Structures are given as C-alpha cells and as structure tokens.
Amino acid sequence: MNVPAAWYLVLAALLFGIGAFGFLTRRSAIIMFMCIELMLNAVNLTFVTFARSLSDIGGQISVFFVMVVAAAEVTVGLGIVVAIFRRRASTSVDELTEMKG
Amino acid sequence: MIAIAYAWPAIGVFVVATLLILGGAVGVLIYKNPVHAALSLILCLFGVALAFLAQQADFLAAVEIIVYAGAIVVLFLFVIMFLGVDRTEALEGEPLVGQRTFAAIAVTLVVAGVVFLMASSHWVTGVPSVSTGGTPLSAGAGNVRQIGTSLYTTYLIAFEVTAALLIISVVGAVNLARKERPRVGESAQ
C-alpha cells in the first residue's frame, strides 16, 4: 500500500511555494527560469498523484505535454537571455528599465 | 497511527523523495552561484523522478531524468558558462523595499490556502477513469504501453502540435541568439 495521495499533494504545494518565492525574490534571469522549472515540476507531481489516485492515464499524458512545453519555453527564454546579455552585459532583471513610463 | 496502515518501504521512499525535492529546491533558492543552483536543481529533479517512480509513472520518471536533468539543466549550465555569469549574485539588499517580506507573505497565503482547500475537500475527488476499467495503472512496460496507446489515439492531434511547437521554438531560439550581421548590399552601421 502506497502512502496517501495527500502527502504527495502537500509536498507538491511546498515545492510550488519555494519556486514562487524564488521567482519573486531572485534577480538573475537564469535563476528565475530555474524557479519556473521548480513550479512546473510541482504541478507535474500533482498531476501524477491525481493520475495514481483516479487510475487515469490522462494525468500522465498531461505531464508529458507540460514537459514538452517546458523544454520549448526554456529554449526560447534562454535565447532571450543571451540576446539581452549581448546588449547589457548583465542578466539582472532590475536593469531592464527601458519601458519605465 | 497513519504509519502503521501503510507499508514502511513506501514511507521510506516518500521521505527520501521529500528530502531530495525540498533540499534541492531550497538550494536553488539560496545558492548565490548560478552553477551551484543548477546542480541543486538536478537534485530536486531526481527527487521528483523518484516520486514519479513511487506512483506508477515509470515512463515519466525516465523522461524526467533524460529531458530535465539531461537536457534542460545542461542547457542552463551551457548558457551560464557561455555568458560567463558564474560570478556570485548579491543576495543582500532589496531594490524594492520589503520585497522579500511581501513575497513570503503572499507565498505562505497561497500555499496555506491551497492545502486548506484540499484538506477540506477530501484531497482527491472524482470517479476513477473508465478507460482502464477502474483498475490501478500498471507499472513498468504496461505503463509505457498505456501512455503510448493514449498518446497515439486520444491525444494524437495535441502530439502533432507539439512537434510544430518544438520546431518553432528551436528556430526562434536560433534567431534570437544569432549575432546580427549587416546584410550584403546594406551599409554597415
């Protein structure tokens, strides 16, 4: 008998909280992307837990698609970071103030 | 009291996965050096893969290690070293006053709210899927078979669209990261 689904759900909620806190407080764009990965993985863990509880393979399929989208997102995001670094020689998001009104 | 009702190996796996996941995530949060943060992220992803394995998601556990730890984190490390930003980022000082305090309060409220809502609604509600006849998901090779069957029948169109998405993102990333050169016939600025 496996542990209750509730344990994994609470674990996923904590992981999401850590990722969200990091995203809100860190200033390096690369670290912020890592925190987005943490949040995506928390949601993936929730999907897998629900798939196990409800015996539904659809939850695992959702995780598969989330992984594909995460890979695409990281590719484009890091491309943008490289492009910004060429102009500013910095990955700190605090220095991107061109659009300040 | 709860512990007696469940097998000890399952609890042990859960504890190890929890330590890996939370330790890795906190590492991403506190390490100043981006390289260390990326390595800590790998630790966290291995914990998630372990949690997948413990919940009959064998295929996803393998994909998690191959795609996340093998490809995405390597991409992170590649960009970090390519840009040469592996110097430490100053964690002290806040550009916005009280940014950390507000972030901590907001995150605590969200997490506590989610956990409270789930606890007050019996955590998992809904009926078991009829596609598997209400039987538990199979592990091992059966899991791969189930995912493959579902992916190439029910979710075929979504699967095809991800191919287009990946092509577009690769072309976009190459275009973004490419150095702009003056075209032939245009005067260099």
Side-chain angles (χ1 to χ4, degrees):
Chain A
M1 185 76 188
N2 211 331
V3 297
W7 296 14
Y8 280 107
L9 292 177
V10 172
L11 174 62
L14 288 176
L15 179 59
F16 187 90
I18 294 174
F21 182 77
F23 182 78
L24 291 173
T25 54
R26 295 299 294 260
R27 268 162 277 149
S28 164
I30 295 177
I31 305 269
M32 288 170 74
F33 270 113
M34 289 185 200
C35 290
I36 293 178
E37 297 306 313
L38 288 184
M39 290 193 277
L40 286 172
N41 272 284
V43 176
N44 282 352
L45 186 53
T46 315
F47 266 127
V48 168
T49 305
F50 280 131
R52 192 249 296 184
S53 301
L54 299 177
S55 300
D56 194 339
I57 200 71
Q60 297 191 9
I61 301 285
S62 302
V63 174
F64 181 81
F65 286 125
V66 168
M67 282 179 179
V68 173
V69 173
E73 168 247 326
V74 164
T75 313
V76 175
L78 289 179
I80 292 174
V81 169
V82 170
I84 290 175
F85 191 84
R86 284 240 171 79
R87 284 172 178 270
R88 315 295 308 261
S90 165
T91 60
S92 173
V93 291
D94 283 333
E95 295 174 23
L96 303 175
T97 54
E98 282 94 345
M99 293 185 72
K100 203 177 202 174
Chain B
M1 57 173 191
I2 300 172
I4 298 167
Y6 302 100
W8 284 108
I11 295 173
V13 168
F14 176 79
V15 169
V16 172
T18 304
L19 290 179
L20 284 174
I21 289 174
L22 294 186
V26 170
V28 173
L29 207 58
I30 61 173
Y31 279 131
K32 295 176 184 172
N33 190 330
V35 176
H36 295 170
L39 295 179
S40 191
L41 181 62
I42 291 186
L43 194 70
C44 177
L45 297 177
F46 268 86
V48 174
L50 185 60
F52 283 2
L53 263 186
Q55 303 195 76
Q56 287 90 40
D58 301 33
F59 174 74
L60 289 177
V63 171
E64 175 91 9
I65 302 235
I66 295 170
V67 172
Y68 265 109
I72 291 184
V73 177
V74 168
L75 191 63
F76 272 117
L77 287 171
F78 185 76
V79 169
I80 290 168
M81 293 174 182
F82 175 66
L83 298 183
V85 289
D86 50 351
R87 60 173 189 271
T88 57
E89 167 201 2
L91 284 176
E92 292 79 27
E94 307 177 55
L96 292 173
V97 180
Q99 182 187 16
R100 284 208 192 111
T101 317
F102 281 122
I105 292 172
V107 166
T108 310
L109 279 180
V110 168
V111 171
V114 166
V115 171
F116 174 75
L117 278 180
M118 287 193 295
S120 60
S121 60
H122 309 289
W123 300 101
V124 181
T125 54
V127 288
S129 168
V130 291
S131 62
T132 54
T135 55
L137 295 176
S138 48
N143 176 247
V144 181
R145 182 185 299 275
Q146 277 182 334
I147 285 189
T149 307
S150 194
L151 202 56
Y152 287 107
T153 55
T154 315
Y155 302 98
L156 182 61
I157 293 179
F159 182 71
E160 300 282 354
V161 171
T162 58
L165 175 72
L166 284 176
I167 291 288
I168 291 170
S169 71
V170 167
V171 172
V174 169
N175 203 18
L176 275 172
R178 194 184 50 165
K179 236 178 209 145
E180 287 191 27
R181 282 182 196 149
R183 288 183 197 151
V184 181
E186 285 180 19
S187 58
Q189 295 174 354

